Every structure is written in structure tokens, then in C-alpha cells.
Amino acid sequence: MTGTGGALADRLAQGTVLGAEGYVFELERRGYVKAGAYVPEAVVDFPDAVTELHREFLRAGADVMVALTYYAHRGKLRQLGRESELEAMNRQAVRLARQVAAEGGALVAGNVCNTWAYDPHDPASADVVRAMYAEQLGWAADEGIDFVIAETNDYLGEALIGLEVSQELGLPAMVTLATTGPAKTWDGYDYVEACKILADHGAAVVGLNCDRGPATMLPLIARIREQVGCAVAAQPVPYRTTEDSPTMESLRAEGVNRVFPLALDPFSCTRFEMADFAVAARDLGVNYVGICCGAGPHHVRAMAEALGRTVPASRYSPSMDLHPVLGTAASRQDRAVLDAWNATR
Ligand SMILES: [Zn+2]
């Protein structure tokens, strides 16, 4: 293994850690993941596509390469008739993440998520979830990861299982909650209280990921930051959620049958909005600042630069002064051309 406790803590001690996720969303847009199931079959079918996205996030400044094992658990693979490839998919995902991480000194995270198999009223379901996490994270630990990200947890109970399995493997865990409800996990814990419980149980990092955009995640993460002692993570989706529609799932648009998950584009945050989020989160004391479903490398680079970094992809960061109409050369343009550009009707 590459590390059993120190690497994540060391990186957090150095300052804000920048995360980049949303792999299944982005690979779906690129034609390598099927929407609906959202299982990362590309890990075995198109490994180059996965490697490329890792590399794009790395060049944009991500400090962590997250192995693409989101929804690569036994229950989901059985549904797709690919259960026999479960181990190969999980091991390959870690290898791809490790290979790219080594190109830029990034950390490697193993990844588990909500399983849709957990039922707080059925104790047997906890055993099913535990077994799925144990095999996924066992393979990940065997391949070599620095820590575990257990994420999009709708239930505190399921989140605690992910944490316990990580601890049994001697791996630090970042455990983050989904926030589809207004205030509570699906098993009835206030989000702040749930984070405190996860911290008390020894999570290295607690917080929120997915579902909410920056505008509706920041107020909640501010309360969590005030109330927990350990490191805090915030990885919103880059969509313009509002008080009335606090999650990407609740966004609505006239004439659109369903906005989530395939028609979210008009709600996308710009790179500037995500840069502002990164600074705001850092200033709140959030230690792990990232981005989830909908993320593009341009968002990540803007966030990295807003945090004061120059990253490999900064070589191609915008220089609008070089633009023939918008830049310094504009004065040499014909007046009619400039007027045509700026005209509104
Ligand atoms: Zn997400």
C-alpha cells in the first residue's frame, strides 16, 4: 500500500486540498457510460477514456485521483450481467488512478458510495452493504490507495458502514453525505449532527458532496464547519441551485419534462462561479474543496488558480488580450465589426 494514514493528513496540513470528481457524469457526456445505470463500465471497456479524464483533472490541479469505482459494486454489476468482472473492474480502476497520480504527485483515493441496498429498518441489509464495501475496498487497499472516499451517503447508517470497513483496513476515510433533503439524512439525522457523529467515529474528513450547487451547499457547510473538529469537505455540483430548488434533482425548467440528470446544461455554473465557490469555501475553513457531477477540467483549473496556484493546464489559461475583437487589438478593428459583435436586439 502507498500509505496507511499519513499521506492525507500531511496534505491537509499543507493547506486546502483540491478535489475533482463527477467522473460518471463526464464520461456519460463523452459516450463511455450509460445514463440510468451510471456504472463505470468504461474502466474495463475504454480504460484510455478514464485515464484521459484523470489526466485532465490532474493537469487542472486536482490533488487527488479518485479511483472510478463509483457504483462498481456487486449489486449494480449483477443488474448489468457483469458480476464476474467485479474484481477486475475495481482493481483496474485503482491502477488507472495510481498511474496518473504518479505523473503529478497526487494522492490516490479508493471510492465507495451509496448502494441503494441499505434499509435502516432491515438489519440484514447492513450486512449486504458491508460485504460489498469490504470486497471493493479490500481490492483497492491491495492495489494501493492513500485513503477512502465514501460518498453521496443518503443514510448516516450506510455512511458509518463505509467508515468502519475503511478503519478495519487501516485506511483513513473521508465520508461525505448526499443532501437531497432540506435538512436531514434519509434516516432522520440533521446533516450537521450526522457529520458530528461521523467525526466522533473517527472519520478523517466529513462533509457534503453532490446534489447541491455552491449557492445551497455553502450555508450548510458553514454550519458543519462551525460544529465539527476534524477536517471538512465540500464538493458541490456545478449547477445553479436556489433556495426553491436546493438540489440539482429539484431543478425545473419550463417545457422540459425532466431536468435531472440529462438536461441540466442551462443551469451550469461558469468557471468564474466555481472559482468564487473555491475561495468562499476556503475562507470558511473548508479543508477539502472540490466539485462533483457536472465538473469539467475548466472548472477545476479556475478553482485551482483562484486558490493561488499555477497548475500544468495554466499554460493555456485565458489571455483575452490576445483576442482579435475582445483584446488590445480591438482598436484596429473596423468600427462596424465591433458594433456587430456587441449588438443586441
Ligand atoms: Zn456527484
Side-chain angles (χ1 to χ4, degrees):
M1 299 200 308
T2 52
T4 53
L8 175 63
D10 288 351
R11 199 63 71 99
L12 287 165
Q14 289 167 25
T16 312
V17 174
L18 182 61
E21 299 194 29
Y23 281 88
V24 293
F25 251 49
E26 180 58 22
L27 289 169
E28 190 278 332
R29 290 195 285 219
R30 296 183 185 192
Y32 296 109
V33 163
K34 185 179 279 293
Y38 284 112
V39 173
E41 298 169 85
V43 167
V44 287
D45 296 344
F46 295 96
D48 289 351
V50 177
T51 297
E52 174 60 24
L53 186 53
H54 278 312
R55 193 169 284 131
E56 290 172 20
F57 283 153
L58 183 79
R59 292 185 68 254
D63 291 313
V64 178
M65 291 295 105
V66 184
L68 183 47
T69 55
Y70 194 97
Y71 280 168
H73 59 67
R74 190 170 290 279
K76 279 275 193 180
L77 264 71
R78 187 180 297 144
Q79 282 176 7
L80 296 180
R82 300 191 74 162
E83 194 176 353
S84 65
E85 297 170 87
L86 179 68
E87 180 174 351
M89 193 179 290
N90 276 268
R91 287 185 179 276
Q92 171 86 336
V94 178
R95 286 175 197 156
L96 299 177
R98 278 184 59 111
Q99 178 197 334
V100 178
E103 296 171 9
L107 301 181
V108 179
N111 184 234
V112 290
C113 62
N114 61 312
T115 62
W116 298 96
Y118 184 75
D119 176 355
H121 306 296
D122 174 12
S125 75
D127 298 335
V128 172
V129 171
R130 189 178 299 275
M132 292 199 288
Y133 287 166
E135 60 187 1
Q136 276 193 282
L137 293 178
W139 294 319
D142 192 41
E143 293 293 333
I145 56 173
D146 295 302
F147 70 107
V148 172
I149 296 177
E151 64 181 359
T152 51
N153 285 290
D154 299 300
Y155 297 99
L156 173 64
E158 192 169 32
L160 284 166
I161 296 171
L163 175 58
E164 287 163 16
V165 171
S166 304
Q167 289 169 329
E168 281 159 17
L169 291 163
L171 291 163
M174 173 166 123
V175 187
T176 51
L177 302 171
T179 48
T180 48
K184 292 182 176 178
T185 64
W186 290 358
D187 44 358
Y189 293 85
D190 178 271
Y191 292 128
V192 178
E193 184 63 26
C195 283
K196 284 167 72 175
I197 293 170
L198 288 163
D200 288 346
H201 280 74
V205 186
V206 299
L208 310 174
N209 83 288
C210 215
D211 302 307
R212 291 178 186 239
T216 50
M217 185 177 282
L218 277 169
L220 194 48
I221 209 72
R223 288 173 46 218
I224 291 167
R225 177 62 289 176
E226 282 169 14
Q227 305 248 355
V228 304
C230 70
V232 167
Q235 301 206 87
V237 294
Y239 295 112
R240 292 174 181 159
T241 53
T242 64
E243 210 169 311
D244 288 339
S245 298
T247 63
M248 63 176 171
E249 292 88 346
S250 60
L251 287 167
R252 296 289 181 269
E254 216 171 297
V256 179
N257 184 29
R258 276 221 67 94
V259 168
F260 173 85
L262 301 178
L264 284 161
D265 308 53
F267 297 95
S268 293
C269 291
T270 66
R271 64 185 75 190
F272 305 107
E273 291 168 305
M274 292 313 298
D276 289 346
F277 160 75
V279 171
R282 192 251 338 254
D283 291 350
L284 280 175
V286 174
N287 312 83
Y288 192 111
V289 175
I291 183 168
C292 205
C293 300
H298 67 306
H299 290 125
V300 180
R301 179 178 61 187
M303 294 166 76
E305 292 178 348
L307 294 172
R309 304 178 190 180
T310 300
V311 299
S314 295
R315 177 177 171 191
Y316 301 107
S317 286
S319 293
M320 295 314 295
D321 54 314
L322 299 175
H323 193 278
V325 172
L326 303 176
T328 50
S331 59
R332 294 198 294 275
Q333 289 289 352
D334 190 296
R335 188 72 238 167
V337 171
L338 294 179
D339 288 347
W341 265 68
N342 295 312
T344 57
R345 272 176 223 277

